[in-house]
Amino acid sequence: MKPIYPGLFQSSSLVANQFILVDGAQSLVVDVGLPGYGRQLLGNMRKVGIDPRELTAILITHADGDHFGALAEIRSVNSAPVYASPQEAEAIQKGVSSRALKPKGFQKLFYGVIAPLYRPSPGIVDHLLEAGQILPFWGGLEVLDTRGHTPQHVSFFAREHGVLFSGDSIQIVGNKLLPSSGGNTWDEELARRSFEMQLALQPTVICGGHGIWIR
Ligand SMILES: [Zn+2]
């Protein structure tokens, strides 16, 4: 696997990205992907030289099935602490999404078809995140309040590296960056503010849930 940035790798589960970060003896994953795809993520950890049993931490941006769905599968081989914001953690522990979807027209049909794919089992969250907190990984990973897509979505910013893990708070379409919007967005106005706040940080690499952007 080729790194996106030194020590940083992309794994994917059909529709969504997970990121594997290796920094000396520390290793972490940001989001774990769809239920049923845990084995694939564990395999990719091994490919980049990590023993999944020794994983340092699991960070979750928000409670959508394509981001936390494989949590129980990953935790079945280790006891890496799981980090999420309080509201998202509550949903993760119930195995549900943190907000209802508001699909219209064709989207309704589409969500109906893909919903079973996204149905995760409940997961355990060990640490509740607070905005502004700096996690002791990769030179300091800052927790950003990026609510909008979901009620308490968070992003992780490695200032030293200029790398932003934005979950679904930034849509990456080709080379274009857009805020979360439409039927899967809890609050579009907040989503737009979170989007602008993150762009103002001038990241050089954006690791998104459904795309990667490099300046
Ligand atoms: Zn999402």
Side-chain angles (χ1 to χ4, degrees):
M1 286 174 84
K2 257 180 67 185
I4 306 161
Y5 181 94
L8 174 61
F9 302 87
Q10 175 195 10
S11 177
S12 63
S13 58
L14 196 65
V15 294
N17 291 330
Q18 301 85 57
F19 296 96
I20 306 173
L21 196 48
V22 192
D23 182 23
Q26 283 189 336
S27 58
L28 41 149
V29 289
V30 180
D31 289 334
V32 293
L34 285 171
Y37 285 80
R39 264 176 76 157
Q40 188 178 308
L41 177 57
L42 292 169
N44 285 336
M45 286 182 211
R46 288 185 202 100
K47 275 188 199 159
V48 303
I50 298 176
D51 179 345
R53 293 170 302 182
E54 308 280 312
L55 192 67
T56 311
I58 300 168
L59 312 184
I60 304 290
T61 57
H62 67 293
D64 268 339
D66 53 339
H67 292 259
F68 82 97
L71 199 48
E73 296 160 58
I74 303 303
R75 276 282 292 249
S76 70
V77 304
N78 61 38
S79 52
V82 178
Y83 294 74
S85 71
Q87 273 176 276
E88 305 298 318
E90 205 183 312
I92 291 168
Q93 286 166 335
K94 288 182 192 150
V96 297
S97 192
S98 54
R99 49 88 182 85
L101 298 171
K102 299 168 279 187
K104 288 185 198 123
F106 168 74
Q107 267 192 337
K108 217 175 227 166
L109 189 72
F110 179 67
Y111 286 163
V113 171
I114 62 166
L117 262 179
Y118 282 64
R119 206 158 289 145
S121 8
I124 291 166
V125 176
D126 305 281
H127 296 291
L128 300 179
L129 296 169
E130 251 177 73
Q133 190 179 349
I134 314 271
L135 300 172
F137 310 121
W138 215 31
L141 267 185
E142 190 174 337
V143 179
L144 306 177
D145 172 353
T146 51
R147 65 189 68 207
H149 178 71
T150 60
Q152 212 171 20
H153 189 292
V154 291
S155 300
F156 303 98
F157 186 45
R159 214 172 270 273
E160 198 182 306
H161 302 275
V163 176
L164 174 68
F165 298 93
S166 59
D168 285 350
S169 64
I170 297 177
Q171 289 189 66
I172 302 172
V173 187
N175 209 28
K176 239 178 134 177
L177 302 176
L178 298 163
S180 175
S181 65
N184 70 1
T185 302
W186 174 67
D187 185 319
E188 286 195 337
E189 175 55 27
L190 288 176
R192 193 186 52 75
R193 275 191 242 163
S194 294
F195 170 75
E196 283 167 6
M197 178 269 282
Q198 291 180 96
L199 291 200
L201 296 171
Q202 301 195 302
T204 49
V205 178
I206 301 178
C207 295
H210 307 278
I212 293 173
W213 178 90
I214 298 174
R215 187 188 296 275

